[in-house]
Amino acid sequence: MASAGTINLQANSLSRTRLSGNSHLLKVVPDETHYSKSITMAGKPFKSANSIRAAAAAAAAAATASASSGALLDPLSHSPSAYVAHAIPAAPAKTTSTEHQNWRGLPGHHLQGRPNWNLLQRWAAAALDTVEDAFIRNVLERPHPLPKTADPAVQIAGNFSPVAEQPVQHQLQVVGRIPPSINGVYLRNGANPLFEPVAGHHFFDGDGMVHAVQLQNGAASYACRFTETERLVQERAIGRPVFPKAIGELHGHSGIARLLLFYARGLFGLVDHSRGTGVANAGVVYFNNHLLAMSEDDLPYHVRINPSGDLETAGRYDFDGQLSSAMIAHPKLDRITRELFALSYDVVRKPYLKYFWFSSDGVKSPDVEIPVDQPTMMHDFAISENFVVIPDQQVVFKLQEMVRGGSPVVYDRSKTSRFGILPRYAADASELRWVEVPDCFCFHLWNSWEEPTTGEVVVVGSCMTPPDSVFNESDESLRSVLSEIRLDPRTGTSTRRPILSPSDQVNLEAGMVNRNLLGRKNRYAYLAIAEPWPKVSGFAKVDLLTGEVRKFLYGDSRYGGEPYFVPRQGPSTSPDREDDGYVLTFMHDESSSESELLIVNAADMRLEASVRLPSRVPYGFHGTFVSSDELDSQA
């Protein structure tokens, strides 16, 4: 039972709570029976909703009165340093809390870190905040119930909800034996909102946080840190969320209003979007001695792994000035050539899609403009030894739908899905060949290779229906079918078949093949069993040749995420050694709220070891493994 003066709310009522626009004052703590919110001010609990509003108003007034005067920032400036650098320490303080989530933003912490706005900026900030609260929230948003795909009560409930940062902790409890060949750091990215949402929120909208488990000589340590994006740094300085959430907020008339509000704040120098608005929460790759955290709405961010196993953000990474546009969250690293291949898409202006690649020492190729008629949702693509395979599918961006009150992410049934086949080192799109694959939407592509006897390019991916189910609410149950797609660039024809038999059919999403065989013919894929959607109840090892499935299930009330295959040793292309390695994955026990890293022998699917983690690890997205040898050459 909660102590007197503490307001406890079930976690699933998160988005229902509104405190006159000051929801960033909330703090979430666990009690013995469930996750709850304890709303406090300067360490003292409030006794009533009225006192909450009064204290919040007093804190805001005190902050306005105490803010010192400064020069007005040129809204066209390409550097936020004029108003952010003095407000944010070079090394932000790290919390050691093991709470469920503290929804930072409490007075006394963030109000002290507000930017040094001048009088005009403070006036503009107050006026725009009033517009947001009185018009956008109360007129445009409050009368309309949120769909499940944008409701924080659904999207960030339970173990989808965020956690506090954790500094590195060593000598973790290990059950079993960590294989001696595993020496390095397993890292997994995910969405972890710093502040409680003030409006709609999709799981993909959260700030990026990387979880890292260092495995060395049978011992294990753990740390998790936010990736210090430009967006996060500015919002932390202000003390609340001000950047629009791309999926949860930007739909309908309220989405247009929030965009206009954001750019109005930019005109007054309250925010600076010129240095990126991305969250860096999806992919993570180690390339050319750099660990990069990515989301396809921005440049990557360079994250360093300290010798202790802790993490720090080095900054937004443009490959030494070579990259000026956003990069897709799933670049493809060829482990044989050491080259990195990538796409970039734009939802506003042409060219909507570009392809480029980096040499093993990080030199970027010229951009190749891919001719597409409209911006397409492009989360993943594939490479083979000689080609890149670019999907142009039925989920597209139509910003004009916001004017009509809808979502800009649209399932275009009039469009025919197709895949483009382009030589890896093409200088332009003249050799691009499109092959139609009707009614096909693959959110992820696991591998691709060439069949020399037929001239076909084979693509293995998970075909999802309805295609937009991740973004828009639907009455139809999601199905994700592991499929083999054969593309014939000479005839422009394709074939598609499910790899699993009907009796074995299960939703398979998030996973990988042996990374040493990316772009080359392989036999096994390790994929998350996404049931009950969107949770993951285990993972499957699938024989792509025979369709045989072997499952590793976590058990009752236990769920995990993406399985990551780590080869036992260096590159091995021998078919009989393809599964010689281990699958690493996070698993969470919802009954005890404890999380573990599991290490499973990929050959026989037996559990080798589990590492008991000191705090909860939320369900997240994609990961990588950086070996000890690679760490020695880290930039």
Side-chain angles (χ1 to χ4, degrees):
M1 184 174 179
S3 59
T6 299
I7 301 174
N8 287 325
L9 303 171
Q10 293 287 352
N12 62 11
S13 65
L14 188 63
S15 68
R16 315 297 184 199
T17 305
R18 296 289 183 266
L19 299 180
S20 300
N22 290 294
S23 58
H24 60 283
L25 300 178
L26 295 179
K27 179 178 180 181
V28 177
V29 297
D31 63 18
E32 294 180 356
T33 58
H34 63 275
Y35 300 125
S36 61
K37 293 182 194 171
S38 175
I39 305 174
T40 64
M41 182 73 153
K44 299 178 181 179
F46 289 112
K47 295 183 179 180
S48 70
N50 288 334
S51 63
I52 294 172
R53 296 187 181 94
T64 302
S66 64
S68 57
S69 178
L72 180 64
L73 177 69
D74 179 357
L76 300 180
S77 167
H78 281 243
S79 172
S81 60
Y83 67 97
V84 172
H86 69 276
I88 299 298
K94 307 296 186 182
T95 177
T96 58
S97 169
T98 57
E99 294 175 353
H100 179 71
Q101 162 65 20
N102 70 359
W103 289 121
R104 300 170 188 80
L106 291 174
H109 175 71
H110 284 287
L111 293 183
Q112 293 177 359
R114 283 186 180 274
N116 191 17
W117 290 332
N118 63 27
L119 184 61
L120 175 59
Q121 287 174 305
R122 295 202 304 271
W123 173 87
L128 293 173
D129 286 352
T130 299
V131 170
E132 179 181 8
D133 190 55
F135 178 65
I136 299 178
R137 291 183 188 168
N138 288 313
V139 176
L140 297 181
E141 292 175 341
R142 196 179 300 276
H144 305 287
L146 291 169
K148 292 180 181 179
T149 51
D151 189 346
V154 175
Q155 293 292 309
I156 47 175
N159 196 44
F160 289 97
S161 62
V163 294
E165 289 185 311
Q166 292 290 334
V168 64
Q169 297 190 45
H170 298 282
Q171 300 300 320
L172 302 181
Q173 180 185 0
V174 177
V175 178
R177 175 175 174 268
I178 297 175
S181 65
I182 301 182
N183 285 288
V185 182
Y186 170 63
L187 305 115
R188 199 222 62 200
N189 209 347
N192 197 84
L194 174 65
F195 293 105
E196 181 180 10
V198 297
H201 181 95
H202 187 279
F203 182 43
F204 292 174
D205 288 330
D207 298 292
M209 174 177 276
V210 177
H211 300 258
V213 179
Q214 186 167 36
L215 305 170
Q216 193 71 34
N217 300 322
S221 66
Y222 168 79
C224 68
R225 297 292 190 185
F226 281 107
T227 298
E228 299 284 324
T229 62
E230 294 286 341
R231 175 190 186 116
L232 181 138
V233 167
Q234 292 185 52
E235 289 192 335
R236 184 192 280 127
I238 294 171
R240 69 187 190 90
V242 291
F243 281 67
K245 297 183 183 299
I247 305 175
E249 290 181 352
L250 297 187
H251 50 82
H253 301 144
S254 64
I256 296 173
R258 286 200 170 274
L259 274 178
L260 293 174
L261 176 69
F262 177 65
Y263 285 108
R265 285 172 169 148
L267 287 174
F268 286 98
L270 308 177
V271 296
D272 180 4
H273 61 80
S274 66
R275 291 180 56 82
T277 62
V279 288
N281 67 12
V284 60
V285 66
Y286 190 80
F287 169 68
N288 192 30
N289 305 325
H290 292 75
L291 177 66
L292 303 178
M294 298 161 293
S295 56
E296 48 241 32
D297 52 359
D298 204 344
L299 271 66
Y301 277 81
H302 178 197
V303 177
R304 288 196 183 98
I305 307 169
N306 292 338
S308 68
D310 211 340
L311 304 170
E312 62 179 359
T313 304
R316 198 161 175 252
Y317 189 66
D318 62 2
F319 293 84
D320 298 323
Q322 300 179 92
L323 183 63
S324 59
S325 60
M327 188 169 84
I328 198 169
H330 283 287
K332 301 302 179 183
L333 177 61
D334 187 320
R335 303 284 296 189
I336 306 300
T337 68
R338 310 300 300 174
E339 296 164 326
L340 188 72
F341 302 85
L343 298 174
S344 173
Y345 69 84
D346 194 307
V347 302
V348 177
R349 63 182 65 87
K350 289 186 175 182
Y352 295 128
L353 183 61
K354 297 183 293 187
Y355 162 70
F356 50 88
W357 57 279
F358 297 91
S359 66
S360 59
D361 54 357
V363 177
K364 180 181 174 294
S365 73
D367 291 336
V368 176
E369 296 184 6
I370 306 300
V372 291
D373 295 332
Q374 58 184 325
T376 299
M377 202 290 294
M378 191 77 59
H379 183 67
D380 201 359
F381 74 114
I383 62 171
S384 65
E385 277 194 84
N386 296 294
F387 299 101
V388 291
V389 181
I390 303 170
D392 179 24
Q393 301 174 124
Q394 292 171 286
V395 178
V396 300
F397 294 99
K398 293 187 177 181
L399 301 185
Q400 63 270 27
E401 291 298 318
M402 296 175 67
V403 178
R404 302 186 182 99
S407 169
V409 183
V410 175
Y411 170 27
D412 186 352
R413 290 174 170 80
S414 66
K415 179 180 178 180
T416 300
S417 293
R418 59 182 184 169
F419 288 79
I421 301 174
L422 180 72
R424 269 193 181 195
Y425 308 109
D428 55 44
S430 60
E431 296 181 76
L432 177 67
R433 298 292 179 266
W434 290 108
V435 179
E436 292 186 350
V437 186
D439 299 318
C440 173
F441 176 78
C442 292
F443 201 60
H444 291 109
L445 301 175
W446 310 121
N447 202 13
S448 180
W449 63 83
E450 301 148 33
E451 288 287 3
T453 57
T454 64
E456 295 171 314
V457 176
V458 179
V459 181
V460 177
S462 292
C463 295
M464 183 180 291
T465 55
D468 62 339
S469 57
V470 173
F471 306 99
N472 298 316
E473 193 167 1
S474 173
D475 294 332
E476 185 179 349
S477 298
L478 180 138
R479 294 184 75 244
S480 184
V481 179
L482 181 63
S483 303
E484 178 192 88
I485 304 166
R486 289 180 170 262
L487 311 170
D488 191 332
R490 298 169 304 178
T491 64
T493 59
S494 68
T495 60
R496 174 162 53 115
R497 70 171 183 89
I499 292 176
L500 305 186
S501 67
S503 60
D504 289 329
Q505 176 56 41
V506 64
N507 288 336
L508 297 177
E509 257 298 335
M512 65 179 302
V513 302
N514 184 325
R515 61 186 185 177
N516 293 327
L517 295 177
L518 191 69
R520 291 148 183 90
K521 189 170 185 176
N522 77 293
R523 183 162 184 172
Y524 300 110
Y526 306 91
L527 303 170
I529 301 174
E531 294 183 357
W533 177 264
K535 294 182 181 180
V536 170
S537 55
F539 68 88
K541 175 185 178 182
V542 181
D543 188 323
L544 303 177
L545 179 63
T546 67
E548 179 186 2
V549 181
R550 298 187 64 182
K551 298 178 182 178
F552 184 95
L553 301 178
Y554 301 134
D556 293 342
S557 300
R558 296 182 175 190
Y559 304 95
E562 175 192 66
Y564 191 88
F565 178 84
V566 180
R568 184 185 299 271
Q569 48 193 10
S572 171
T573 56
S574 174
D576 60 348
R577 293 189 57 81
E578 181 183 332
D579 61 352
D580 186 15
Y582 302 92
V583 176
L584 276 57
T585 185
F586 285 126
M587 184 273 293
H588 179 72
D589 188 331
E590 294 190 347
S591 62
S592 65
S593 195
E594 295 178 343
S595 297
E596 304 173 27
L597 174 71
L598 304 183
I599 303 174
V600 177
N601 190 307
D604 58 19
M605 297 289 280
R606 294 178 182 271
L607 181 66
E608 297 271 347
S610 65
V611 178
R612 302 290 175 84
L613 301 175
S615 61
R616 182 175 62 85
V617 177
Y619 306 131
F621 302 135
H622 305 292
T624 192
F625 185 83
V626 182
S627 69
S628 295
D629 291 341
E630 290 173 319
L631 286 176
D632 291 341
S633 59
Q634 184 180 201

